[in-house]
Amino acid sequence: MDHQHPTLFDEVAKAAFPIIGTFNSQDLANTVNAFAKMDHQHPMVFDAVAKAAIPIIDTFNSQSLANTVNAFAKMDHQHPILFDEVANAAIPVIDTFNSQSLANTVNAFAKMDHEHPMLFDGVAKAAIPIISTFKPQELANIVNAFAKIDHQHPTLFDAVAKAAIPIIDTFNSQSLANTVNAFAKMDHEHPMLFDEVATAAIPIISTFKPQELANIVNAFAKMDHEHPMLFDEVAKAAIPIIDTFNSQDLANAVNAFAKMDHVHPMLFDEVAKAAIPIINTFNSQGLANIVNAFAKMDHQHPMLFDEVAKVAIPIIGTFNSQALAMT
């Protein structure tokens, strides 16, 4: 029902503490899953659940293991020992995980930046034979998790591409952007997938959020994959909502257009207009990328360059060699 009632959750937590040691695996997983689903912060509950779960972790089934780490990740609650124990318990039974549990597990580990190569290899091995059962979001999430943790597995990525292409029209904006972004981050080439993603994205481009618009062109640019129609449609969708782009999205968008040598003066003018009022939110890389993109496309905007200089000078010591050269 997704019905918020903070007082009830606090009272549940209060009642649970003295008896948490009597909870079975499903009760423990359900508890943190409920708190996470309602976005109700209660660190003491999560620590207590972890403490109770670790000694009985081998009694957790696949769904309970996945739900537990997924809840901790959703609430951004760090507990490295629990994650290691979940991984140790999951690996021997990884073949019992379904598509959702596999995707959610690695997604949780990636979100918490918790590396566990054996788990990721085990998930890939289990996922490939059942890849056709993965839903669009699960396909996007699994490659996104591997990319975020920088775990190479070309066979998995090829299998995801093969499964994704026939159902690409069922992907939403987030799944389309995340999929190509993951392939680009891992430098995994798959031209057919990128073409199909572009074909699927164009008719629903108005549903893309700012970060998704920036990410999709950034992914195509990183892989040097030409698709002028996609870039034109991204520009068309971005311009009316350009004021909702943050500094990173603005810099990434024009950087992608510049890298692909895709001329779009109106987009660049609107990016400059949106960037100037928030120029102090740009980090050194963002500042370098935005002026480098304008320079590469020979797009004049003296006011933007002056504002970048004004912000860059006090923080010039934070620029790395690449950012200094690009600026």
CSV table of all heavy atoms in Angstrom, one decimal, residues 169-210:
chain,number,residue,atom,x,y,z
A,169,ASP,N,12.1,-2.5,-27.4
A,169,ASP,CA,11.0,-1.5,-27.4
A,169,ASP,C,10.3,-1.5,-26.0
A,169,ASP,O,9.4,-0.6,-25.8
A,169,ASP,CB,10.0,-1.9,-28.5
A,169,ASP,CG,10.5,-1.6,-29.9
A,169,ASP,OD1,11.5,-0.7,-30.0
A,169,ASP,OD2,10.1,-2.2,-30.9
A,170,THR,N,10.6,-2.5,-25.2
A,170,THR,CA,9.9,-2.5,-23.9
A,170,THR,C,10.8,-1.8,-22.8
A,170,THR,O,10.4,-1.7,-21.6
A,170,THR,CB,9.6,-4.0,-23.4
A,170,THR,OG1,10.9,-4.7,-23.2
A,170,THR,CG2,8.8,-4.7,-24.5
A,171,PHE,N,12.0,-1.4,-23.2
A,171,PHE,CA,12.8,-0.7,-22.2
A,171,PHE,C,12.3,0.7,-22.0
A,171,PHE,O,11.9,1.4,-23.0
A,171,PHE,CB,14.3,-0.6,-22.8
A,171,PHE,CG,15.1,-1.9,-22.6
A,171,PHE,CD1,14.7,-3.1,-23.0
A,171,PHE,CD2,16.3,-1.8,-21.9
A,171,PHE,CE1,15.4,-4.2,-22.8
A,171,PHE,CE2,17.1,-2.9,-21.7
A,171,PHE,CZ,16.7,-4.2,-22.2
A,172,ASN,N,12.4,1.2,-20.8
A,172,ASN,CA,12.0,2.6,-20.5
A,172,ASN,C,13.3,3.5,-20.7
A,172,ASN,O,14.4,2.9,-20.9
A,172,ASN,CB,11.4,2.8,-19.2
A,172,ASN,CG,12.2,2.5,-18.0
A,172,ASN,OD1,13.5,2.4,-18.1
A,172,ASN,ND2,11.6,2.3,-16.8
A,173,SER,N,13.1,4.8,-20.5
A,173,SER,CA,14.3,5.7,-20.7
A,173,SER,C,15.5,5.3,-19.8
A,173,SER,O,16.6,5.3,-20.3
A,173,SER,CB,13.8,7.1,-20.5
A,173,SER,OG,13.3,7.3,-19.1
A,174,GLN,N,15.2,5.1,-18.6
A,174,GLN,CA,16.3,4.8,-17.6
A,174,GLN,C,17.0,3.5,-18.0
A,174,GLN,O,18.3,3.5,-18.0
A,174,GLN,CB,15.7,4.6,-16.2
A,174,GLN,CG,16.8,4.4,-15.2
A,174,GLN,CD,16.3,4.3,-13.8
A,174,GLN,OE1,15.1,3.9,-13.6
A,174,GLN,NE2,17.1,4.6,-12.7
A,175,SER,N,16.3,2.5,-18.4
A,175,SER,CA,17.0,1.2,-18.8
A,175,SER,C,17.8,1.4,-20.1
A,175,SER,O,18.9,0.8,-20.2
A,175,SER,CB,15.9,0.1,-18.9
A,175,SER,OG,15.3,-0.2,-17.7
A,176,LEU,N,17.3,2.1,-21.0
A,176,LEU,CA,18.0,2.4,-22.3
A,176,LEU,C,19.3,3.1,-22.0
A,176,LEU,O,20.4,2.7,-22.4
A,176,LEU,CB,17.1,3.2,-23.3
A,176,LEU,CG,16.0,2.4,-23.9
A,176,LEU,CD1,15.0,3.4,-24.6
A,176,LEU,CD2,16.4,1.4,-24.9
A,177,ALA,N,19.2,4.2,-21.2
A,177,ALA,CA,20.4,5.0,-20.9
A,177,ALA,C,21.4,4.2,-20.1
A,177,ALA,O,22.6,4.2,-20.4
A,177,ALA,CB,20.0,6.3,-20.2
A,178,ASN,N,20.9,3.5,-19.1
A,178,ASN,CA,21.8,2.7,-18.2
A,178,ASN,C,22.5,1.6,-19.0
A,178,ASN,O,23.7,1.3,-18.7
A,178,ASN,CB,21.1,2.2,-17.0
A,178,ASN,CG,20.8,3.2,-16.0
A,178,ASN,OD1,21.2,4.4,-16.0
A,178,ASN,ND2,20.0,2.8,-15.0
A,179,THR,N,21.8,1.0,-19.9
A,179,THR,CA,22.4,-0.1,-20.6
A,179,THR,C,23.6,0.3,-21.5
A,179,THR,O,24.7,-0.2,-21.4
A,179,THR,CB,21.4,-0.8,-21.5
A,179,THR,OG1,20.3,-1.3,-20.7
A,179,THR,CG2,22.0,-2.0,-22.3
A,180,VAL,N,23.4,1.4,-22.3
A,180,VAL,CA,24.5,1.8,-23.2
A,180,VAL,C,25.6,2.5,-22.3
A,180,VAL,O,26.8,2.4,-22.7
A,180,VAL,CB,24.0,2.8,-24.3
A,180,VAL,CG1,23.3,2.0,-25.4
A,180,VAL,CG2,23.2,3.9,-23.8
A,181,ASN,N,25.2,3.1,-21.2
A,181,ASN,CA,26.2,3.7,-20.4
A,181,ASN,C,27.1,2.7,-19.8
A,181,ASN,O,28.3,2.9,-19.6
A,181,ASN,CB,25.5,4.5,-19.2
A,181,ASN,CG,26.4,5.5,-18.6
A,181,ASN,OD1,27.1,6.3,-19.2
A,181,ASN,ND2,26.4,5.5,-17.2
A,182,ALA,N,26.5,1.5,-19.4
A,182,ALA,CA,27.3,0.4,-18.8
A,182,ALA,C,28.3,-0.1,-19.9
A,182,ALA,O,29.5,-0.4,-19.6
A,182,ALA,CB,26.4,-0.7,-18.3
A,183,PHE,N,27.8,-0.3,-21.1
A,183,PHE,CA,28.6,-0.9,-22.2
A,183,PHE,C,29.8,0.1,-22.5
A,183,PHE,O,30.9,-0.3,-22.7
A,183,PHE,CB,27.8,-1.1,-23.4
A,183,PHE,CG,27.1,-2.5,-23.4
A,183,PHE,CD1,26.1,-2.8,-22.6
A,183,PHE,CD2,27.5,-3.5,-24.3
A,183,PHE,CE1,25.5,-4.0,-22.6
A,183,PHE,CE2,27.0,-4.7,-24.3
A,183,PHE,CZ,25.9,-5.0,-23.5
A,184,ALA,N,29.4,1.4,-22.5
A,184,ALA,CA,30.5,2.4,-22.8
A,184,ALA,C,31.5,2.5,-21.6
A,184,ALA,O,32.7,2.5,-21.9
A,184,ALA,CB,29.8,3.8,-22.9
A,185,LYS,N,31.0,2.4,-20.4
A,185,LYS,CA,32.0,2.5,-19.3
A,185,LYS,C,33.0,1.3,-19.3
A,185,LYS,O,34.1,1.4,-19.0
A,185,LYS,CB,31.2,2.5,-17.9
A,185,LYS,CG,32.1,2.7,-16.7
A,185,LYS,CD,31.3,2.8,-15.4
A,185,LYS,CE,32.1,3.3,-14.3
A,185,LYS,NZ,33.2,2.4,-14.0
A,186,MET,N,32.5,0.1,-19.7
A,186,MET,CA,33.4,-1.0,-19.8
A,186,MET,C,34.0,-1.2,-21.2
A,186,MET,O,34.7,-2.2,-21.4
A,186,MET,CB,32.5,-2.3,-19.5
A,186,MET,CG,31.9,-2.3,-18.1
A,186,MET,SD,33.0,-2.0,-16.8
A,186,MET,CE,33.9,-3.6,-16.7
A,187,ASP,N,33.8,-0.2,-22.0
A,187,ASP,CA,34.4,-0.1,-23.3
A,187,ASP,C,34.1,-1.4,-24.1
A,187,ASP,O,35.0,-2.0,-24.8
A,187,ASP,CB,36.0,0.0,-23.2
A,187,ASP,CG,36.6,0.6,-24.5
A,187,ASP,OD1,35.8,1.2,-25.3
A,187,ASP,OD2,37.8,0.4,-24.7
A,188,HIS,N,32.9,-1.9,-24.0
A,188,HIS,CA,32.4,-3.1,-24.6
A,188,HIS,C,31.6,-2.7,-25.9
A,188,HIS,O,30.5,-2.2,-25.8
A,188,HIS,CB,31.6,-3.9,-23.7
A,188,HIS,CG,31.3,-5.3,-24.2
A,188,HIS,ND1,32.0,-6.4,-23.9
A,188,HIS,CD2,30.3,-5.7,-25.0
A,188,HIS,CE1,31.5,-7.5,-24.5
A,188,HIS,NE2,30.5,-7.1,-25.2
A,189,GLU,N,32.2,-3.0,-27.0
A,189,GLU,CA,31.5,-2.6,-28.3
A,189,GLU,C,30.4,-3.6,-28.7
A,189,GLU,O,30.6,-4.8,-28.6
A,189,GLU,CB,32.6,-2.5,-29.4
A,189,GLU,CG,33.6,-1.4,-29.2
A,189,GLU,CD,34.4,-1.2,-30.5
A,189,GLU,OE1,34.2,-1.9,-31.5
A,189,GLU,OE2,35.4,-0.4,-30.4
A,190,HIS,N,29.3,-3.0,-29.1
A,190,HIS,CA,28.2,-3.8,-29.6
A,190,HIS,C,27.3,-2.8,-30.5
A,190,HIS,O,26.3,-2.4,-30.1
A,190,HIS,CB,27.4,-4.4,-28.5
A,190,HIS,CG,26.6,-5.6,-29.0
A,190,HIS,ND1,25.6,-5.6,-29.9
A,190,HIS,CD2,26.8,-7.0,-28.6
A,190,HIS,CE1,25.1,-6.8,-30.1
A,190,HIS,NE2,25.8,-7.6,-29.4
A,191,PRO,N,27.8,-2.6,-31.7
A,191,PRO,CA,27.1,-1.6,-32.6
A,191,PRO,C,25.6,-1.9,-32.8
A,191,PRO,O,24.8,-0.9,-32.8
A,191,PRO,CB,27.9,-1.7,-33.9
A,191,PRO,CG,29.2,-2.3,-33.5
A,191,PRO,CD,29.0,-3.1,-32.3
A,192,MET,N,25.3,-3.2,-32.9
A,192,MET,CA,23.9,-3.5,-33.1
A,192,MET,C,23.0,-3.1,-32.0
A,192,MET,O,21.9,-2.5,-32.1
A,192,MET,CB,23.7,-5.0,-33.4
A,192,MET,CG,22.3,-5.3,-33.8
A,192,MET,SD,22.0,-7.1,-34.1
A,192,MET,CE,23.1,-7.4,-35.5
A,193,LEU,N,23.5,-3.3,-30.8
A,193,LEU,CA,22.8,-2.9,-29.6
A,193,LEU,C,22.6,-1.4,-29.5
A,193,LEU,O,21.5,-0.9,-29.3
A,193,LEU,CB,23.5,-3.4,-28.3
A,193,LEU,CG,22.9,-2.9,-27.0
A,193,LEU,CD1,21.5,-3.4,-26.8
A,193,LEU,CD2,23.8,-3.2,-25.8
A,194,PHE,N,23.7,-0.7,-29.8
A,194,PHE,CA,23.6,0.8,-29.8
A,194,PHE,C,22.6,1.3,-30.8
A,194,PHE,O,21.8,2.3,-30.5
A,194,PHE,CB,25.0,1.4,-30.0
A,194,PHE,CG,25.8,1.5,-28.7
A,194,PHE,CD1,26.1,0.4,-27.9
A,194,PHE,CD2,26.1,2.8,-28.2
A,194,PHE,CE1,26.8,0.5,-26.8
A,194,PHE,CE2,26.8,2.9,-27.0
A,194,PHE,CZ,27.2,1.8,-26.3
A,195,ASP,N,22.6,0.7,-32.0
A,195,ASP,CA,21.6,1.2,-33.0
A,195,ASP,C,20.2,0.9,-32.6
A,195,ASP,O,19.3,1.7,-32.8
A,195,ASP,CB,21.9,0.4,-34.4
A,195,ASP,CG,23.1,1.0,-35.1
A,195,ASP,OD1,23.5,2.2,-34.8
A,195,ASP,OD2,23.7,0.3,-35.9
A,196,GLU,N,20.0,-0.3,-32.0
A,196,GLU,CA,18.6,-0.6,-31.5
A,196,GLU,C,18.2,0.3,-30.4
A,196,GLU,O,17.0,0.6,-30.3
A,196,GLU,CB,18.6,-2.1,-31.1
A,196,GLU,CG,18.7,-3.0,-32.3
A,196,GLU,CD,17.6,-2.9,-33.3
A,196,GLU,OE1,16.5,-2.6,-32.9
A,196,GLU,OE2,17.9,-3.1,-34.5
A,197,VAL,N,19.1,0.6,-29.5
A,197,VAL,CA,18.8,1.5,-28.4
A,197,VAL,C,18.4,2.9,-28.9
A,197,VAL,O,17.4,3.5,-28.5
A,197,VAL,CB,20.0,1.7,-27.4
A,197,VAL,CG1,19.8,2.9,-26.5
A,197,VAL,CG2,20.1,0.4,-26.6
A,198,ALA,N,19.1,3.4,-29.9
A,198,ALA,CA,18.8,4.7,-30.5
A,198,ALA,C,17.4,4.6,-31.2
A,198,ALA,O,16.6,5.5,-31.0
A,198,ALA,CB,19.8,5.0,-31.6
A,199,THR,N,17.1,3.5,-31.9
A,199,THR,CA,15.8,3.4,-32.5
A,199,THR,C,14.7,3.4,-31.5
A,199,THR,O,13.6,3.9,-31.7
A,199,THR,CB,15.8,2.1,-33.4
A,199,THR,OG1,16.8,2.2,-34.4
A,199,THR,CG2,14.4,1.9,-34.1
A,200,ALA,N,14.9,2.7,-30.4
A,200,ALA,CA,13.9,2.6,-29.3
A,200,ALA,C,13.8,3.9,-28.6
A,200,ALA,O,12.7,4.3,-28.1
A,200,ALA,CB,14.2,1.5,-28.4
A,201,ALA,N,14.9,4.7,-28.4
A,201,ALA,CA,14.9,5.9,-27.6
A,201,ALA,C,14.2,7.0,-28.3
A,201,ALA,O,13.5,7.8,-27.6
A,201,ALA,CB,16.3,6.3,-27.3
A,202,ILE,N,14.4,7.2,-29.6
A,202,ILE,CA,13.9,8.4,-30.3
A,202,ILE,C,12.4,8.6,-30.1
A,202,ILE,O,12.0,9.7,-29.8
A,202,ILE,CB,14.3,8.3,-31.8
A,202,ILE,CG1,15.8,8.6,-31.9
A,202,ILE,CG2,13.5,9.4,-32.6
A,202,ILE,CD1,16.4,8.3,-33.3
A,203,PRO,N,11.5,7.6,-30.3
A,203,PRO,CA,10.1,7.8,-30.1
A,203,PRO,C,9.7,8.2,-28.7
A,203,PRO,O,8.6,8.7,-28.5
A,203,PRO,CB,9.4,6.5,-30.5
A,203,PRO,CG,10.5,5.7,-31.2
A,203,PRO,CD,11.8,6.2,-30.7
A,204,ILE,N,10.5,7.8,-27.7
A,204,ILE,CA,10.1,8.1,-26.3
A,204,ILE,C,11.1,9.1,-25.7
A,204,ILE,O,11.2,9.3,-24.4
A,204,ILE,CB,10.1,6.9,-25.4
A,204,ILE,CG1,11.4,6.1,-25.4
A,204,ILE,CG2,9.0,5.9,-26.0
A,204,ILE,CD1,11.5,5.1,-24.3
A,205,ILE,N,11.8,9.9,-26.5
A,205,ILE,CA,12.9,10.8,-26.0
A,205,ILE,C,12.3,11.8,-25.0
A,205,ILE,O,13.0,12.3,-24.1
A,205,ILE,CB,13.6,11.4,-27.2
A,205,ILE,CG1,15.0,11.9,-26.7
A,205,ILE,CG2,12.8,12.6,-27.8
A,205,ILE,CD1,16.0,10.8,-26.5
A,206,SER,N,11.0,12.2,-25.2
A,206,SER,CA,10.5,13.2,-24.3
A,206,SER,C,10.3,12.7,-22.9
A,206,SER,O,10.0,13.5,-21.9
A,206,SER,CB,9.1,13.7,-24.8
A,206,SER,OG,8.2,12.6,-24.9
A,207,THR,N,10.4,11.4,-22.7
A,207,THR,CA,10.3,10.8,-21.3
A,207,THR,C,11.6,10.7,-20.6
A,207,THR,O,11.7,10.3,-19.4
A,207,THR,CB,9.7,9.4,-21.4
A,207,THR,OG1,10.6,8.5,-22.0
A,207,THR,CG2,8.4,9.3,-22.2
A,208,PHE,N,12.7,11.0,-21.3
A,208,PHE,CA,14.0,11.0,-20.7
A,208,PHE,C,14.3,12.1,-19.7
A,208,PHE,O,13.9,13.3,-20.0
A,208,PHE,CB,15.1,11.0,-21.8
A,208,PHE,CG,15.4,9.7,-22.4
A,208,PHE,CD1,14.5,9.0,-23.2
A,208,PHE,CD2,16.7,9.1,-22.4
A,208,PHE,CE1,14.7,7.8,-23.8
A,208,PHE,CE2,17.0,7.9,-23.0
A,208,PHE,CZ,16.0,7.3,-23.7
A,209,LYS,N,14.8,11.8,-18.6
A,209,LYS,CA,15.2,12.8,-17.6
A,209,LYS,C,16.5,13.4,-18.0
A,209,LYS,O,17.3,12.9,-18.9
A,209,LYS,CB,15.3,12.2,-16.2
A,209,LYS,CG,14.0,11.6,-15.7
A,209,LYS,CD,14.2,10.9,-14.3
A,209,LYS,CE,12.9,10.3,-13.8
A,209,LYS,NZ,13.1,9.5,-12.6
A,210,PRO,N,16.9,14.6,-17.5
A,210,PRO,CA,18.1,15.3,-17.9
A,210,PRO,C,19.4,14.3,-17.8
A,210,PRO,O,20.1,14.3,-18.8
A,210,PRO,CB,18.3,16.4,-16.9
A,210,PRO,CG,16.8,16.7,-16.6
A,210,PRO,CD,16.1,15.4,-16.6
